[in-house]
């Protein structure tokens, strides 16, 4: 099987972190003969838009990224070429695969050898250090692309490739067991609505925290057992304690980019509870009473992205019908508008770009 590869393509890129967003139709396409061993070329059909893309857009991370950066790290597409000399891979031309934030890790350093590829000392992040998925053709590494099962729609699968497996990892690492109470802050958002579904699939009892009747209906439909509107509640922490057997929740998954959500969590967690740091409010510090952490023996654990096995497990649950990414489809040409809507909290679920539009 062979594909005709054009010389140029449409791509959305930043001149630099915090710079202007530009969409051009004459961005070069790396040709098959230029691929290195281990690389493949993927013709993208869809890409999710993650809140971290917006943070990179505004340079919230203050970490140097490449100039003229093509953003995006939730891409779905077809492998159209594989670099000469590539060995020991099951990836074939014609396969449908996903591209994640973990663009390339060395697989040889201490972190990689321990199964923590996302913490690789030589990690190259897709859509940050290397060009990402807001383009028609992207370079990826065969060792890091994710096989997409036939039962998953491409647009629906895109949102799983960062948001999905990040919250899956958070839940898995929260040391919760079937029947435990878990609080999900920002439950109606892009990360949160997936966390609700993964938690339910794991047999956890979900307390959804967010605001608005639409999100309440949404979260309860997804399987949340209880709902708390943080704008209407007089005491969110006490409400959670009352629901969770008078003892508090076993774990808190803070999917909201809100420092106040973190400040509240320590108060409603029960003894030996876990506070999972997922949402990333820019320029914020974690403010938690040290005495409370010590007395309750709380664990505070950061969650960035998982490893290659995590994403396969997260995708498998979706392929089995246990999790579905609620999304709206927009065109690549609408990316600037999408960023504006995300910044003003107007997005429910995830936005997925149709790269052809």
């Amino acid at each position: 099987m062979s594909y005709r590869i054009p010389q140029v393509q449409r791509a959305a890129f930043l001149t630099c972190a915090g710079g202007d967003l530009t969409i051009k139709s004459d961005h070069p396409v790396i040709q098959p003969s230029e691929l290195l061993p281990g690389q493949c070329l993927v013709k993208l059909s869809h890409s999710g838009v993650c809140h971290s893309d917006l943070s990179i857009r505004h340079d919230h991370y203050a970490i140097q990224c490449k100039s003229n950066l093509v953003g995006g790290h939730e891409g779905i597409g077809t492998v159209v070429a594989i670099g000469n000399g590539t060995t020991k891979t099951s990836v074939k031309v014609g396969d449908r695969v996903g591209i994640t934030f973990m663009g390339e890790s060395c697989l040889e350093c201490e972190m990689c050898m321990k199964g923590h590829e996302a913490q690789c000392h030589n990690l190259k992040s897709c859509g940050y250090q290397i060009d990402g998925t807001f383009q028609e053709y992207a370079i990826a590494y065969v060792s890091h692309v994710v096989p997409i099962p036939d039962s998953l729609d491409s647009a629906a699968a895109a949102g799983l490739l960062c948001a999905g497996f990040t919250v899956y990892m958070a839940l898995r690492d929260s040391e919760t067991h079937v029947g435990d109470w878990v609080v999900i802050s920002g439950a109606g958002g892009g990360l949160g609505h997936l966390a609700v579904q993964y938690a339910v699939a794991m047999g956890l009892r979900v307390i959804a925290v967010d605001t608005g009747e639409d999100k309440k209906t949404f979260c309860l439909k997804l399987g949340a057992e209880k709902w708390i509107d943080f704008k209407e509640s007089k005491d969110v922490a006490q409400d959670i304690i009352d629901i969770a057997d008078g003892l508090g929740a076993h774990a808190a998954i803070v999917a909201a980019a809100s420092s106040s959500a973190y400040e509240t969590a320590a108060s409603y967690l029960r003894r030996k509870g876990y506070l999972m740091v997922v949402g990333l409010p820019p320029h914020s510090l974690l403010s938690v009473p040290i005495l409370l952490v010590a007395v309750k023996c709380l664990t505070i654990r950061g969650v960035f992205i998982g490893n290659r096995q995590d994403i396969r497990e997260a995708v498998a649950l979706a392929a089995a019908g246990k999790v579905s990414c609620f999304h709206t489809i927009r065109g690549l040409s609408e990316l600037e508008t999408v960023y504006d809507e995300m910044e003003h909290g107007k997005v429910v679920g995830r936005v997925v770009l149709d790269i052809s539009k």
Side-chain angles (χ1 to χ4, degrees), residues 51-73:
H51 202 278
S52 58
D53 293 317
L54 180 62
S55 294
I56 292 169
R57 167 79 170 84
H58 291 311
D59 198 21
H60 285 161
Y61 297 149
I63 300 175
Q64 185 176 3
C65 67
K66 73 182 290 289
S67 59
N68 293 324
L69 170 72
V70 177
H73 55 269

Side-chain angles (χ1 to χ4, degrees), residues 100-105 117-118 123-124 126 144 305-308:
T100 74
F101 187 78
M102 190 164 50
E104 181 191 13
S105 56
E117 302 101 310
L123 178 69
K124 293 181 180 178
C126 181
H144 286 70
I305 52 175
N307 62 27
R308 294 174 299 161

